[in-house]
Amino acid sequence: MGGDSTPKRDQKLSLTGSVALGTGVMIGAGIFALVGQVAELAGGWVPWAFFAGAVVVAFSSYSYIRYSATNPSSGGIAMLLKAAYGPGVVAGSFSLFMYVSMILAESLLGRTFGTYLLRPFGMQDSALWVPVLAVGAIAAAALVNLVGNRLVERSATVTAAIKIVGIAVLAVAGIFAAGVSSLGRLITTANRAAPETGWAGVLAGVALCILAYKGFTTITNQGADLRDPKRNIGRSIIIAIGLCTVLYLLITVAVTSSLSVDEIVEARDYALAEAAEPLFGSWGVTLTVAIAVVATLSGLVASLFSVSKLYDMLRDMGQAPGLPDKERHQSLYITAGLAIVMAAFFDLSQIAALGAILYLAMDIAIHWGIIRHLKDDMEAKNWVPWVAIVLDIAVLVPFVGLTAQSDPFTVVITAVLALIIVATQWLVVRRRNRNATPSKENSQHHSD
């Protein structure tokens, strides 16, 4: 008996492995693809927008940390919503909002992989090869996940180290090349291009920056796989957010020192590679592309691992369908398949907008559920989730408003997708209740 427990413990994720998986999801498309999208909205305030995103996420993380400390599970967010709202339409809908936003994040990673890989060949805008490479990357990441936990953890730890060191080297070298005084861009407003849309643009840019951090929520899905989860989930989330904040601030200062806002916007899907060229020449571009490829592929591996766990929980709760057979990896197939479809048919800006709106809506529901129903069970301070709600609304409203003006199609698609999710959940819950009623009547009849 005693000999059996050791291997099981060995198969659990360590704190380092957990942080690696978390940063693996966070450091990917977020920083490589979104800098240009954010610059389009926030102008020269890009570093400040990423810092503000970290502040919003820091307040948001409190709710997830408090819940995970009292009830760690492999379905983190789904279980939190179920505890707050009961196993009905609200919990199911917002759980699927989260699930879909994570699938969108995977398709963003896939397309970023394709865009950067094609940059040295001048084919980064190809309408054919970007989605083809995106589909290949997602399929390859799914294959790695089929091998099991240990390979995922080992690859995540190694690739997270490569990403962190690689981006840090690029950022520090870029800052030195531009002059250490460029760090002053974080605390001064001198020479900063104002966004055309004013402060609404800066706030909308922050909404996109949150996508670069929201991967921390996948750490809450590790409860069943992590050693000492009640302590380590919270620690892992805090470390991952802190690491990413420092890296994002350094790299955005380097990019805005190297390129003008117009140049960043023009190269918005591959801004980091574009910024490396005037600073370091072709070898800088090659290095940036290599780091981007590692970051996006490892991000896909980590994300598929975590998001499949969330889908398992949703399926067990009766809030998501399974495949007809009993295939053990069906959640992985469904998740990868949906990510492939999204990557094939939507571009980077559409995927980012869809993901940001769905994620922020779900995040607001999480905090409201805690304030209304769970604060006593979790021993949570009421004011923190209230601040998180105010901050989420402050960035979501201008983002939806500006997106509706520039790309109404994406807002319509988001609304249709949200309606489909809610309607599907309503039908699922109704059918579940109908199936439960006859059994109750039968038991009542037998007892008579």
Side-chain angles (χ1 to χ4, degrees):
M1 293 284 287
D4 290 337
S5 61
T6 307
K8 284 182 182 173
R9 177 170 174 79
D10 285 346
Q11 287 168 9
K12 294 274 189 179
L13 288 169
S14 63
L15 177 61
T16 304
S18 172
V19 171
L21 277 172
T23 54
V25 177
M26 292 162 80
I27 304 173
I31 192 62
F32 285 97
L34 292 178
V35 173
Q37 318 270 352
V38 174
E40 200 167 15
L41 291 165
W45 293 80
V46 173
W48 274 100
F50 273 90
F51 180 72
V55 172
V56 175
V57 168
F59 278 99
S60 283
S61 68
Y62 176 81
S63 296
Y64 300 88
I65 290 169
R66 290 304 311 149
Y67 181 77
S68 296
T70 55
N71 186 27
S73 76
S74 60
I77 290 163
M79 293 301 289
L80 198 166
L81 286 162
K82 183 182 175 185
Y85 296 103
V89 176
V90 175
S93 296
F94 284 110
S95 294
L96 283 172
F97 275 25
M98 180 63 191
Y99 175 70
V100 172
S101 79
M102 295 309 295
I103 286 173
L104 286 160
E106 287 162 4
S107 58
L108 194 69
L109 284 162
R111 286 193 76 101
T112 305
F113 166 82
T115 302
Y116 271 80
L117 194 61
L118 292 167
R119 169 64 179 76
F121 309 102
M123 296 168 62
Q124 63 272 11
D125 297 316
S126 170
L128 171 65
W129 288 107
V130 170
V132 165
L133 287 172
V135 167
I138 295 166
L143 283 174
V144 172
N145 270 274
L146 287 173
V147 179
N149 276 21
R150 297 299 293 167
L151 184 59
V152 171
E153 181 180 3
R154 282 196 199 102
S155 66
T157 307
V158 172
T159 53
I162 292 169
K163 281 190 288 195
I164 291 167
V165 172
I167 291 176
V169 166
L170 276 176
V172 172
I175 288 166
F176 272 107
V180 179
S181 60
S182 60
L183 281 171
R185 294 175 72 84
L186 282 173
I187 53 175
T188 68
T189 57
N191 303 318
R192 196 184 300 283
E196 292 177 16
T197 45
W199 284 108
V202 176
L203 290 171
V206 174
L208 277 183
C209 292
I210 287 167
L211 289 180
Y213 295 98
K214 80 179 182 75
F216 85 85
T217 57
T218 59
I219 296 171
T220 65
N221 300 339
Q222 296 171 7
D225 298 287
L226 183 61
R227 292 177 206 155
D228 193 7
K230 292 192 176 185
R231 277 182 72 225
N232 283 338
I233 286 178
R235 290 163 72 194
S236 179
I237 287 172
I238 291 164
I239 293 167
I241 292 173
L243 264 175
C244 287
T245 303
V246 172
L247 283 175
Y248 293 167
L249 288 179
L250 289 173
I251 201 74
T252 50
V253 167
V255 170
T256 51
S257 299
S258 171
L259 300 175
S260 68
V261 171
D262 288 342
E263 288 170 329
I264 296 170
V265 171
E266 191 178 341
R268 63 183 189 169
D269 291 350
Y270 49 92
L272 265 62
E274 200 70 11
E277 192 157 28
L279 289 173
F280 312 118
S282 60
W283 75 265
V285 175
T286 304
L287 180 60
T288 307
V289 167
I291 296 168
V293 166
V294 171
T296 48
L297 284 177
S298 60
L300 275 169
V301 171
S303 182
L304 282 169
F305 175 80
S306 297
V307 180
S308 297
K309 294 283 179 190
L310 174 60
Y311 194 85
D312 279 335
M313 182 61 68
L314 289 171
R315 198 178 68 242
D316 293 344
M317 289 160 62
Q319 289 173 324
L323 297 172
D325 58 11
K326 298 293 183 185
E327 168 58 51
R328 192 161 62 91
H329 298 292
Q330 61 175 281
S331 60
L332 178 62
Y333 297 143
I334 291 168
T335 302
L338 289 170
I340 282 169
V341 171
M342 298 282 191
F345 294 106
F346 292 99
D347 67 26
L348 280 172
S349 59
Q350 290 171 324
I351 292 166
L354 277 162
I357 295 169
L358 290 176
Y359 171 75
L360 285 165
M362 182 281 308
D363 199 52
I364 291 166
I366 290 272
H367 305 312
W368 180 246
I370 283 166
I371 291 166
R372 293 287 294 162
H373 304 293
L374 297 178
K375 65 178 186 294
D376 295 332
D377 295 343
M378 292 165 41
E379 299 176 2
K381 292 180 172 64
N382 222 14
W383 68 270
V384 184
W386 267 119
V387 172
I389 288 174
V390 170
L391 293 175
D392 279 349
I393 292 171
V395 299
L396 177 60
V397 171
F399 180 72
V400 173
L402 290 175
T403 305
Q405 290 175 27
S406 63
D407 186 10
F409 173 75
T410 297
V411 175
V412 170
I413 289 290
T414 309
V416 169
L417 190 58
L419 280 172
I420 290 170
I421 289 171
V422 173
T424 305
Q425 281 301 301
W426 182 77
L427 290 170
V428 166
V429 171
R430 192 177 173 202
R431 188 170 65 219
R432 193 169 63 207
N433 291 344
R434 195 189 301 128
N435 290 342
T437 306
S439 60
K440 287 181 183 173
E441 288 173 355
N442 287 342
S443 61
Q444 180 66 35
H445 176 72
H446 287 308
S447 65
D448 290 345

